[in-house]
Amino acid sequence: MGFRYLYDAGYIDREMDMWFNERNIYYVVQVEVFLAKAFSNAAEEDDDATAFDGTVPPHFYGVMAKTELGCQILQEKGHFTEFSQFIRKHNGESEDMELIMKLKSILWAVGNVGATEGGLPFLEEEEIIPAVLAIAEKSPVPSIRGTCFFVLGLISSTSQGAEILDDYNWDATLNPLGMPTGLCVPVDFQAFTTIPSWNPVIVTRNEGRLIPPSAEAEIEVITAIQNLGNAVIAGASSRSLARMKSRPEYRRIFSSPTMFFRALNIISTQRYRLPIRRYIVDLFNLDLNQELVMRLKQCATVLKVHPSYKLSASDTSRLSMFGPLGRPRRTSISDEEDDELDPPTTMTVPVEQPVITLQPVRKFVGFDVIKVN
């Protein structure tokens, strides 16, 4: 009676549309937060909103499938047919995060429907269980495989579902009374846990290098930004940048997409604390829009250093991490108040050194090396 009343009032239709368009995604986030807390070793006090008791939260489609009228509405809406079509179309998705999230949300919806005796015929009619099993054993995304594992456990929570999965060599666990517990494991466990190999991305040493700026003002700004990573002179560098930004001759630099790209490159290749990273980004008076993104993309191509490119002696002296080395330069505003921090010195031009490549340490423990003549 209560379900019929809600349906006549239009609540069921509105709620189904909300779950179909939005709340299925929210359900995935909620479940994965619960699982992260359940598998976490950190001892944290959970509040009532995120408490996890070992059972999945209720799903609207699963609750509807428990009633005859709910199954009838599911049939009329045609949502389950769309779910099965999406699963078959994107069963091998591994790159698009939006499609991956939607695939997991649909799998959870299918599992909750299949966890009821009235909803299991939907899975048999669409023949979706073999598709879920194929994703569980062949998907290159571990989180999708984990989602399928829990979904198959939901399907095995009924006696009929456990029998169907048994035909595909997935065994459902039973309690002492012979009733399914909602946990299902594959007979061929290796096929489920084996992930296909992939080709790792090889990072070249020149990937983060850019052609150095030529204008003196740009060099001063870049040097000050680099010096923010030095805790000794970070305060003086931040004051220098603030004074530069207030001077008319430097304002165009802080509105230049090219200089903004150089600053982003420095942030991505050097270590900075989060407040300093925010400070560097806030220095530039630019709106993040499609035009700026296209300009940054062009800078990534134009400013990229060719493998055969080498810094000249003058560029090396002018672009040192801690300020200019080797030859004197004109007095800048960064020197007006900080001469006592950086007294002028004469040093030799450093020779460019190759980037250090770290190799894994190999150590044998528990075995003696025996030399056989």
Side-chain angles (χ1 to χ4, degrees), residues 197-212:
S197 59
W198 65 93
N199 296 324
V201 178
I202 301 176
V203 180
T204 59
R205 60 168 295 186
N206 294 319
E207 186 172 342
R209 297 177 57 193
L210 302 178
I211 299 175

Side-chain angles (χ1 to χ4, degrees), residues 115-368:
T116 62
E117 294 182 359
L120 191 60
F122 286 94
L123 279 69
E124 295 181 287
E125 181 180 353
E126 295 291 339
E127 297 181 353
I128 201 63
I129 293 180
V132 176
L133 290 168
I135 296 174
E137 296 180 354
K138 298 179 181 179
S139 175
V141 183
S143 63
I144 295 181
R145 290 196 181 197
T147 300
C148 291
F149 176 78
F150 290 111
V151 167
L152 293 171
L154 289 173
I155 297 174
S156 70
S157 59
T158 64
S159 300
Q160 187 178 0
E163 292 179 2
I164 295 175
L165 290 175
D166 183 68
D167 295 338
Y168 294 98
N169 295 324
W170 278 66
D171 292 338
T173 59
L174 306 176
N175 60 17
L177 299 179
M179 300 299 295
T181 62
L183 180 63
C184 189
V185 293
V187 175
D188 186 4
F189 199 75
Q190 185 176 2
F192 174 67
T193 56
T194 301
I195 298 178
S197 59
W198 65 93
N199 296 324
V201 178
I202 301 176
V203 180
T204 59
R205 60 168 295 186
N206 294 319
E207 186 172 342
R209 297 177 57 193
L210 302 178
I211 299 175
S214 57
E216 194 72 23
E218 294 180 354
I219 295 175
E220 291 182 12
V221 172
I222 291 297
T223 302
I225 291 176
Q226 289 178 331
N227 289 344
L228 290 174
N230 187 335
V232 178
I233 58 177
S237 299
S238 64
R239 292 192 297 270
S240 298
L241 287 169
R243 290 193 297 271
M244 291 178 190
K245 189 175 181 180
S246 64
R247 299 285 290 271
E249 60 268 27
Y250 289 88
R251 288 178 183 173
R252 64 173 183 80
I253 295 178
F254 296 100
S255 300
S256 170
T258 302
M259 289 297 294
F260 184 53
F261 179 80
R262 293 185 184 277
L264 294 178
N265 180 74
I266 293 173
I267 293 175
S268 63
T269 56
Q270 299 182 21
R271 292 185 178 182
Y272 291 97
R273 293 184 294 110
L274 180 59
I276 295 180
R277 293 174 180 268
R278 291 175 177 170
Y279 174 75
I280 294 174
V281 174
D282 292 339
L283 284 172
F284 293 86
N285 302 319
L286 294 169
D287 295 330
L288 185 58
N289 50 33
Q290 185 176 2
E291 181 181 357
L292 177 59
V293 173
M294 295 302 298
R295 292 289 301 276
L296 294 176
K297 188 176 180 179
Q298 294 175 0
C299 292
T301 304
V302 175
L303 299 179
K304 185 177 180 181
V305 170
H306 192 269
S308 61
Y309 178 86
K310 290 186 178 181
L311 289 175
S312 63
S314 60
D315 289 336
T316 303
S317 63
R318 297 169 71 187
L319 295 176
S320 171
M321 175 70 177
F322 302 105
L325 301 175
R327 65 175 182 83
R329 58 176 175 80
R330 68 178 182 86
T331 304
S332 66
I333 59 175
S334 62
D335 299 326
E336 293 176 356
E337 300 181 8
D338 303 316
D339 289 338
E340 68 280 0
L341 295 177
D342 299 300
T345 58
T346 302
M347 301 179 62
T348 58
V349 178
V351 180
E352 182 184 5
Q353 298 295 331
V355 178
I356 298 176
T357 57
L358 300 179
Q359 297 294 332
V361 178
R362 299 179 180 178
K363 184 178 181 181
F364 296 92
V365 178
F367 296 92
D368 294 331

